[in-house]
Amino acid sequence: MITGTTSDAELAAALRPLVFQLYYVTRRHAPPHTLTITQSSVLRHLMAAGPMRMGELADAEGVQLPSMTNVITRMARMGLVRREPDPDDKRAMRVHVTEDGARFYTEITAIREEFLRHRLSEMDDRDRRAIADALPALSRLIGAEGSNWSR
């Protein structure tokens, strides 16, 4: 049980599996054509920031450029993104979300949020208030790394 005297280690040990399980349960309720975590994150970055260079995406995801190239190649085959030469540097490529990619991302987001809305509606006011009260602290816990996770 978590109390006011719970150590940071105990709190971390209790929080980690809950965060993972919440994501996993929410993710399971998306359409069958589900993206990998990295693909979802790349699509989210592109939706939030607009077209990005491959190197920027690799940095944002904390992966090497060849890995990001593989991710983008798969996503392009799926019709979710397209690559175009960077107008500022013709040697570089910018990745854009396609109409299908934007529609797919919006659909997945809506389905996942509806799942969470339904689950929240089944909870009592005290539990919903506790979750609402925890949101600012969870945002601070994520810190600068999560500052772009608005969607």
Side-chain angles (χ1 to χ4, degrees):
M1 179 169 162
I2 304 299
T3 67
T5 59
T6 301
S7 73
D8 289 346
E10 292 168 319
L11 189 54
L15 180 61
R16 183 202 50 78
L18 285 175
V19 169
F20 176 79
Q21 190 65 26
L22 177 62
Y23 178 73
Y24 180 75
V25 167
T26 304
R27 185 175 159 82
R28 259 196 343 234
H29 289 83
H33 179 81
T34 307
L35 303 175
T36 67
I37 292 171
T38 301
Q39 290 168 336
S40 293
S41 184
V42 165
L43 200 52
R44 181 196 52 78
H45 273 104
L46 293 171
M47 291 290 291
M52 295 175 73
R53 291 175 71 161
M54 296 285 283
E56 293 171 322
L57 282 169
D59 288 346
E61 291 300 317
V63 300
Q64 297 296 314
L65 187 57
S67 296
M68 183 53 60
T69 300
N70 289 334
V71 169
I72 295 303
T73 297
R74 280 177 281 180
M75 292 177 71
R77 284 188 196 131
M78 295 164 72
L80 303 175
V81 299
R82 71 179 185 283
R83 288 178 269 208
E84 294 181 2
D86 186 328
D88 299 327
D89 180 355
K90 298 295 183 199
R91 299 168 298 167
M93 299 298 282
R94 290 183 77 73
V95 181
H96 301 253
V97 175
T98 63
E99 265 186 51
D100 286 345
R103 187 173 28 258
F104 181 73
Y105 182 80
T106 301
E107 177 183 315
I108 284 177
T109 300
I111 289 168
R112 290 177 179 170
E113 287 179 5
E114 179 56 34
F115 168 75
L116 289 170
R117 274 191 295 274
H118 175 73
R119 281 300 202 33
L120 288 165
S121 74
E122 294 175 336
M123 299 178 86
D124 64 31
D125 289 342
R126 193 178 110 210
D127 283 344
R128 283 198 317 277
R129 181 80 251 152
I131 291 169
D133 289 346
L135 293 177
L138 290 170
S139 292
R140 287 188 298 278
L141 179 64
I142 293 167
E145 282 186 43
S147 64
N148 294 324
W149 276 91
S150 61
R151 290 199 88 178

